[in-house]
Amino acid sequence: MAGQVAALVSSHLRDRRRSLLAWGLPLGLMSAFIVAIFPSVEDSISKVVGKYPAGLKEAFGIGRLSNVEQYLHAEMLSLIVPLALGYLAVRAVGSGLAGAAESGRLDVLLSAPVSRRRLCAAGFLATAIELAVVLAISYLLTMLGSVLAGAGLAAGPAAAGFAGVWPLALLFAGLGIVACAWSLRTSVVTGAVAGVLVGMYVADLIGKLDPGFDWLRYASVFKYYGNAIENGIEPVAFLGVTAAAIVCAALGAWLFERRDLSA
Amino acid sequence: MSVAAIEAEGLTKFYGRRRGIEDVTFAVAPGEVFGFLGPNGAGKTTTIRALLDLHHPTGGSARLFGRDSRRDSVAIRARLGNLPGDFGFGRQASGREALRLLARLRGVDGLGRAEALAERFDADLERPLGQLSRGNRQKIGLILATFHEPDLLIFDEPTSGLDPLMQEEFLTLVDEERERGRTVFVSSHDLDEVQRICDRVGMVREGRLIAVERMVDLLGKARRKVSVRLSGPSSLEDLRKLPGVTELALADGHASFEVAGDFDRVLKALAAHHVTDIEAVHPSLEEVFLGYYREEGE
């Protein structure tokens, strides 16, 4: 029943309302600060970056820093925001399942006529909304910083840059549900999936730095992340990663139905 | 013949090589109050979790309202209320928020009789559960389990953390539910509690159901310890001759003995003496088990 999923999603978001601001505000303020200082550091940054090895610049997505969009991507959207949002996704989905098991909430919810599959779907959907809200807060604060500092950040490309993070982070929500089917301890779920998140980032980085290890990148979702603020959202990658996230969530829900529930 | 509210047939649960419960078989009739009695770790909670499909049995099966506990779990849960042992619902939500969520999940309009129950149990529905004491959280758990007036109520250690007044209120509530034809399944390690409310009791020890008895039969097998202070010389030989009286000792006007079965004969025998004080102590759970085994041995 859609009503049950809606009730679970709204309850999840109500419980995590502080987290929306706790993650959205720092990321948004940090991005706003990066954008706001760009006009004053533009020249010196370009000179410094010009001396970096070409491979290093490509690996970290800092090939050119001739405009504020490139600077925002290099400083925030290539590393900090995707890693932070990936971690947030695991925390959010983990709190809805493993955290609920630890607090006893899961036992109470499953005393009601609601299936485990529906519970997983609600956790995944709530996390998808939570990620979108955090990204929206970050984006709006970044634009505010740009307007106040006169940095000239283009609204459309910036929106694409933040939106591009969403499917990547969502994949880790899907993996989080798979992890909850394996363990109902929040620390185990968060640690395991955060390890995969960092591992994928490092695999992508190694592949970029050394062409001999390019094959490693296929094991990483960061290969499909791209640079949406400069190149726009790549629809195939965006939809493909979103579909992979949904498949992971469905697999996790299927496995979750088959396990005993106790933290 | 009406379908049993709960029917377990050879229900078994192993966690790897560790035994949770083994070959548990019992049935609870509609409208019955059934106690599930055993020490901590005996397998009471494992049985409940298997009934509720929270744990998947490794053997045997269970049916609730005639439906398979695994395949029809969602439909079954629409008709029951459950208070888990060590109830929790996170720290942030208030009782009212938890109730609203459960009402929506159950498709119940409004909060049913939750307000009346909150008043009865003096429960605070407004404060976040994380700010409530264990006893006050337990009251919220009781309300969440009962507000929608389910056909079957499952309580795991329901009075844990409740003060004596609220324990009494809970026992009264169970009596009322029985009168309304509801089935109640109570897991407990407190014999007094079970004795007050249950029609029948299942005793579980080390994962096995060792007996299912009517409450009156179980108490008949249990030995109460009686201590009597007498005024004036007494030999109490008349007591010694009564069946069921053992371990009689008399010194300095103080008599102590154990009684199994009917207490009325003992009181009538004591009436012939000048009794200044009397105390009868209910046996502990272990003593009930021992009494049961002793009786079986005889």
Side-chain angles (χ1 to χ4, degrees):
Chain A
M1 281 189 294
Q4 284 187 329
V5 174
L8 289 164
V9 168
S10 62
S11 167
H12 185 106
L13 291 173
R14 195 179 313 113
D15 285 350
R16 292 190 57 83
R17 58 190 179 273
R18 287 186 197 134
S19 146
L20 297 174
L21 292 177
W23 288 79
L25 282 180
L27 287 174
L29 290 173
M30 209 169 152
S31 301
F33 175 74
I34 293 292
V35 167
I37 63 167
F38 180 73
S40 54
V41 299
E42 184 178 359
D43 291 338
S44 56
I45 286 285
S46 294
K47 284 175 194 163
V48 171
V49 170
K51 293 173 186 170
Y52 286 178
L56 188 71
K57 286 192 282 187
E58 191 192 337
F60 286 94
I62 51 174
R64 290 169 291 128
L65 289 180
S66 55
N67 61 44
V68 68
E69 287 81 17
Q70 289 165 359
Y71 188 55
L72 179 62
H73 176 78
E75 293 292 327
M76 295 297 294
L77 294 174
S78 67
L79 173 63
I80 294 173
V81 176
L83 286 185
L85 268 285
Y87 182 73
L88 169 63
V90 186
R91 294 273 303 179
V93 89
S95 77
L97 296 173
E102 287 171 332
S103 71
R105 184 188 178 106
L106 199 59
D107 283 6
V108 178
L109 293 178
L110 288 173
S111 299
V114 58
S115 69
R116 296 188 192 185
R117 229 177 309 175
R118 208 162 278 158
L119 211 60
C120 291
F124 185 68
L125 195 56
T127 302
I129 294 170
E130 182 173 343
L131 292 171
V133 172
V134 168
L135 284 167
I137 293 171
S138 304
Y139 166 71
L140 290 172
L141 287 174
T142 307
M143 288 310 299
L144 184 65
S146 171
V147 170
L148 292 176
L153 179 67
F162 280 98
V165 180
W166 185 79
L168 179 139
L170 196 61
L171 180 76
F172 292 97
L175 291 174
I177 295 178
V178 174
C180 285
W182 167 56
S183 170
L184 281 174
R185 290 174 59 194
T186 312
S187 56
V188 173
V189 169
T190 308
V193 183
V196 173
L197 169 68
V198 173
M200 281 189 174
Y201 181 78
V202 171
D204 185 63
L205 193 62
I206 291 171
K208 281 178 178 170
L209 284 170
D210 185 344
F213 287 99
D214 189 57
W215 56 270
L216 261 181
R217 298 189 66 205
Y218 288 93
S220 170
V221 68
F222 285 90
K223 174 177 170 52
Y224 310 99
Y225 175 51
N227 183 350
I229 199 167
E230 272 199 89
N231 308 323
I233 286 177
E234 169 59 52
V236 174
F238 188 96
L239 293 174
V241 174
T242 303
I246 293 169
V247 168
C248 283
L251 172 68
W254 185 78
L255 293 170
F256 193 72
E257 277 195 316
R258 278 150 186 79
R259 65 157 294 154
D260 291 336
L261 294 184
S262 47
Chain B
M1 190 179 142
S2 60
V3 175
I6 303 174
E7 198 174 3
E9 182 67 47
L11 202 58
T12 300
K13 177 66 186 176
F14 275 81
Y15 302 95
R17 296 176 65 183
R18 188 170 62 83
R19 184 180 62 198
I21 50 172
E22 190 168 10
D23 199 23
V24 170
T25 299
F26 66 94
V28 180
E32 186 176 22
V33 178
F34 188 89
F36 210 50
L37 197 59
N40 291 331
K44 304 187 298 292
T45 299
T46 302
T47 305
I48 289 176
R49 296 186 82 77
L51 293 175
L52 294 172
D53 194 37
L54 294 171
H55 284 186
H56 300 322
T58 43
S61 64
R63 299 178 76 78
L64 286 84
F65 310 113
R67 307 182 79 156
D68 185 81
S69 66
R70 290 211 59 194
R71 197 179 52 244
D72 305 318
S73 168
V74 172
I76 287 168
R77 283 183 272 134
R79 294 181 61 186
L80 63 80
N82 170 43
L83 171 66
D86 200 17
F87 164 79
F89 201 78
R91 298 185 58 77
Q92 289 186 44
S94 67
R96 188 174 300 283
E97 285 169 345
L99 274 163
R100 282 197 188 121
L101 175 58
L102 263 289
R104 285 183 71 186
L105 293 178
R106 291 189 172 282
V108 174
D109 289 329
L111 299 185
R113 57 174 174 167
E115 298 287 358
L117 286 167
E119 196 171 325
R120 181 172 182 175
F121 283 103
D122 193 23
D124 186 345
L125 295 179
E126 311 306 331
R127 283 173 68 187
L129 292 172
Q131 293 178 16
L132 297 179
S133 67
R134 185 167 176 230
N136 283 327
R137 268 204 314 274
Q138 190 76 350
K139 293 175 190 175
I140 303 293
L142 279 169
I143 297 169
L144 285 172
T146 53
F147 80 102
H148 54 295
E149 308 194 39
D151 295 328
L152 169 63
L153 287 152
I154 296 179
F155 297 121
D156 191 357
E157 305 286 357
T159 56
S160 164
L162 293 183
D163 63 46
L165 275 178
M166 288 303 129
Q167 287 183 19
E168 192 60 36
E169 200 57 52
F170 167 76
L171 299 178
T172 308
L173 176 73
V174 172
D175 274 337
E176 290 169 7
E177 293 300 316
R178 184 210 324 262
E179 281 166 23
R180 298 165 79 184
R182 315 274 192 234
T183 309
V184 183
F185 184 92
V186 188
S187 152
S188 178
H189 64 271
D190 184 339
L191 182 63
D192 281 346
E193 179 178 291
V194 169
Q195 180 189 338
R196 278 281 310 276
I197 53 177
C198 292
D199 304 314
R200 280 193 310 144
V201 62
M203 288 188 292
V204 61
R205 202 173 85 154
E206 294 175 1
R208 287 180 174 276
L209 188 66
I210 56 172
V212 177
E213 296 268 10
R214 289 191 310 142
M215 199 67 233
V216 287
D217 296 337
L218 178 69
L219 289 173
K221 289 174 180 171
R223 288 165 194 264
R224 275 153 290 191
K225 287 180 181 165
V226 182
S227 176
V228 183
R229 188 156 289 283
L230 302 158
S231 169
S234 294
S235 68
L236 293 181
E237 279 308 310
D238 44 352
L239 261 185
R240 200 183 296 278
K241 290 172 192 159
L242 285 180
V245 173
T246 54
E247 312 292 333
L248 180 65
L250 178 65
D252 300 330
H254 177 260
S256 62
F257 53 92
E258 290 184 11
V259 182
D262 189 1
F263 205 65
D264 185 57
R265 295 166 303 174
V266 176
L267 286 175
K268 282 177 177 151
L270 283 173
H273 305 269
H274 186 204
V275 177
T276 58
D277 195 11
I278 184 167
E279 184 184 33
V281 179
H282 282 116
S284 68
L285 192 55
E286 279 305 313
E287 286 165 332
V288 170
F289 281 128
L290 287 174
Y292 179 81
Y293 286 132
R294 195 180 299 157
E295 191 75 16
E296 290 294 294
E298 286 164 8

